[in-house]
Amino acid sequence: MGKGINNKLKDVSINGNYVGGNSIVNHYYISQPEADKEDGKENKTIFLSYNWHDGKIADRIDKHLSGIPSISVKRDVRDIGPWKSIRDFMKGIRQQDYAVLIVSDLYLKSKNCMFEVTEIMKEQEYVDRIFPAVVEHGIYNPLKRVEYIEYWQKECEELETAIKGIDISNAAELAADLKCYKNIASSIGEFLSIVADRNNPDIQEVEIQIEKAILEH
């Protein structure tokens, strides 16, 4: 942001090189973060968690929230550099102020998406930091929530059985995957109950409601 300082000096010589007059003699610039601080604002960061099959919804939410000067959106397609760790990026969900979670059927069955969920759930007050954007309305039915719990229990059982078939010395990384699956299986029931208990906005206007919620804080 640039501002001009009007010179009110007239016919005044400065070091023999400048004679004053009514003109703009200097500009100074304030970067956006500094401008926000002067206005008493602090930038808020949002982690966008979604399954790639829901990319169109993610694009819409991303475009809207990224257009707000005081909000910065963290998203995989922008923030994971070539050959960088995907897992390290996903763990970064805990360092952001908020997380938008696009909750669809494929999201709830994705290891990476649910890993992000289990990471944010490690935060003590995570409930106040998440904005579920609900696509899969079946989660409001307890019988459907049971299906997702059973899905991850089955995934755990299948991976555990497969690991038992190989030498334990070769299974270290797979054991880490199994631990991740078990964390998901033990957490998904709580997560779905919390999301189902909320008055979640319609997916078609969820980005507007997210903006209001953040700016009101």
Side-chain angles (χ1 to χ4, degrees):
M1 184 174 84
K3 292 185 178 181
I5 301 174
N6 286 325
N7 169 35
K8 299 300 184 181
L9 298 176
K10 194 169 185 179
D11 300 326
V12 175
S13 177
I14 301 176
N15 292 333
N17 296 319
Y18 174 78
V19 177
N22 285 331
S23 61
I24 296 174
V25 297
N26 188 31
H27 289 81
Y28 66 92
Y29 294 88
I30 302 176
S31 66
Q32 189 60 47
E34 291 174 340
D36 289 339
K37 288 179 182 178
E38 285 191 357
D39 292 338
K41 298 178 182 178
E42 290 185 6
N43 285 345
K44 299 296 183 182
T45 57
I46 300 176
F47 189 102
L48 185 54
S49 177
Y50 66 104
N51 184 282
W52 282 7
H53 287 85
D54 302 310
K56 289 185 178 180
I57 298 174
D59 289 344
R60 195 187 77 224
I61 294 173
D62 184 12
K63 181 178 179 180
H64 182 88
L65 296 179
S66 295
I68 302 169
S70 59
I71 292 177
S72 174
V73 179
K74 305 295 182 181
R75 185 177 176 183
D76 53 0
V77 294
R78 276 194 303 272
D79 298 306
I80 303 179
W83 298 284
K84 297 297 182 180
S85 170
I86 296 173
R87 180 170 286 262
D88 286 346
F89 170 79
M90 293 191 296
K91 287 182 177 180
I93 193 172
R94 298 181 66 182
Q95 277 69 60
Q96 312 314 318
D97 296 303
Y98 301 101
V100 174
L101 318 173
I102 302 180
V103 184
S104 65
D105 177 68
L106 290 175
Y107 181 92
L108 295 170
K109 294 177 179 178
S110 164
K111 173 193 170 186
N112 284 349
C113 295
M114 292 308 300
F115 175 78
E116 291 171 353
V117 169
T118 57
E119 283 295 296
I120 193 65
M121 288 179 72
K122 293 176 181 178
E123 296 298 309
Q124 186 173 3
E125 298 179 357
Y126 81 91
V127 175
D128 297 324
R129 293 172 56 184
I130 61 172
F131 294 106
V134 178
V135 177
E136 175 51 71
H137 292 278
I139 64 169
Y140 297 113
N141 184 332
L143 294 177
K144 186 65 176 179
R145 297 201 294 272
V146 168
E147 290 181 15
Y148 287 113
I149 296 172
E150 289 176 339
Y151 173 85
W152 283 105
Q153 287 180 343
K154 183 179 179 181
E155 289 290 296
C156 289
E157 291 169 1
E158 290 181 354
L159 182 55
E160 191 165 23
T161 299
I163 291 175
K164 288 179 179 178
I166 62 176
D167 191 299
I168 191 170
S169 62
N170 300 323
E173 294 303 320
L174 290 173
D177 284 329
L178 179 60
K179 181 179 179 181
C180 176
Y181 277 38
K182 288 185 175 181
N183 285 340
I184 294 171
S186 63
S187 302
I188 192 169
E190 176 188 336
F191 172 69
L192 288 175
S193 292
I194 287 171
V195 174
D197 182 57
R198 289 191 164 191
N199 180 24
N200 298 300
D202 187 276
I203 191 64
Q204 298 302 322
E205 62 172 20
V206 68
E207 66 270 28
I208 298 173
Q209 298 303 322
I210 293 169
E211 176 188 357
K212 289 181 179 179
I214 292 176
L215 297 183
E216 286 174 359
H217 283 183

